[in-house]
């Protein structure tokens, strides 16, 4: 079974995240959307809300599981018997950052990272931009899946 982990904080999930996950479905038998828990980070949405947003967004897709985890992503992948880490790339800065992590992960665990380029229509969206729009009372609805808009 080809299993991939798509890790992130998803605070909140965006249309860009959704696009990457949906486009990755034909590549894998199962995708685990893994919400990382970092006690030092301040989140806008609770862990339960973030998990519910993702589960609702993919409620009709049996190949997608949503879980939470702590610690190293590679250790979580080993625990879940996942051979791949899925990542989306929006720009050259993302590539440089993600490339260093991917090389380290492969050296330490032999887990391959699969990169998908974001669609042009979502390449500017990030969770931090969505949070900023929300904090300032802007219209965030075009940036996130319906589950977040509710």
């Amino acid at each position: 079974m080809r299993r991939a982990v798509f890790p992130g904080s998803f605070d909140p999930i965006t249309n860009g995240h959704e696009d990457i996950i949906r486009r990755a479905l034909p590549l894998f038998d199962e995708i685990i959307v893994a919400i990382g828990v970092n006690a030092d980070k301040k989140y806008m949405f609770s862990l339960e809300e973030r998990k519910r947003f993702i589960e609702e967004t993919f409620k009709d897709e049996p190949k997608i599981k949503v879980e939470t985890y702590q610690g190293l992503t590679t250790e979580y992948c080993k625990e879940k018997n996942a051979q791949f880490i899925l990542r989306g790339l929006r720009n050259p800065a993302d590539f440089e950052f993600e490339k260093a992590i991917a090389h380290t992960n492969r050296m330490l665990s032999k887990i391959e990272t699969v990169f998908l380029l974001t669609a042009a229509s979502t390449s500017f969206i990030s969770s931090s931009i969505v949070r900023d729009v929300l904090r300032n009372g802007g219209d965030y609805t075009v940036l996130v899946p319906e589950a977040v808009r509710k």
Side-chain angles (χ1 to χ4, degrees):
M1 174 182 274
R2 291 181 325 257
R3 181 176 291 133
V5 168
F6 186 45
S9 59
F10 304 103
D11 187 32
I13 185 172
T14 69
N15 289 343
H17 294 127
E18 181 181 8
D19 174 65
I20 291 292
I21 294 165
R22 291 200 187 279
R23 288 179 28 232
L25 282 169
L27 305 175
F28 303 104
D29 300 309
E30 181 178 84
I31 298 173
I32 301 171
V33 180
I35 306 167
V37 178
N38 181 343
D40 297 330
K41 195 169 178 183
K42 291 192 85 165
Y43 297 104
M44 178 174 271
F45 296 95
S46 71
L47 182 61
E48 294 76 24
E49 287 173 310
R50 290 180 280 147
K51 191 169 190 268
R52 182 175 45 79
F53 293 155
I54 300 166
E55 286 172 340
E56 193 171 319
T57 299
F58 297 105
K59 66 181 178 280
D60 296 325
E61 184 45 68
K63 290 171 63 172
I64 295 175
K65 309 280 185 271
V66 183
E67 298 186 0
T68 63
Y69 77 104
Q70 291 183 328
L72 291 174
T73 302
T74 53
E75 291 302 315
Y76 177 75
C77 289
K78 287 179 195 174
E79 181 184 311
K80 295 297 174 180
N81 196 28
Q83 307 88 350
F84 304 96
I85 295 173
L86 175 63
R87 299 299 293 161
L89 298 174
R90 294 172 295 189
N91 54 49
D94 279 357
F95 174 73
E96 290 301 326
F97 178 74
E98 294 289 347
K99 179 178 76 167
I101 294 170
H103 285 314
T104 304
N105 288 343
R106 191 172 345 114
M107 182 187 298
L108 297 177
S109 67
K110 308 296 183 231
I111 294 172
E112 286 290 342
T113 301
V114 175
F115 297 109
L116 291 182
L117 298 177
T118 57
S121 61
T122 62
S123 64
F124 64 94
I125 303 172
S126 69
S127 293
S128 55
I129 288 174
V130 171
R131 290 192 305 272
D132 195 46
V133 171
L134 270 164
R135 273 197 279 294
N136 290 288
D139 181 9
Y140 65 94
T141 59
V142 297
L143 306 173
V144 297
E146 184 180 341
V148 180
R149 295 189 296 257
K150 288 181 182 178

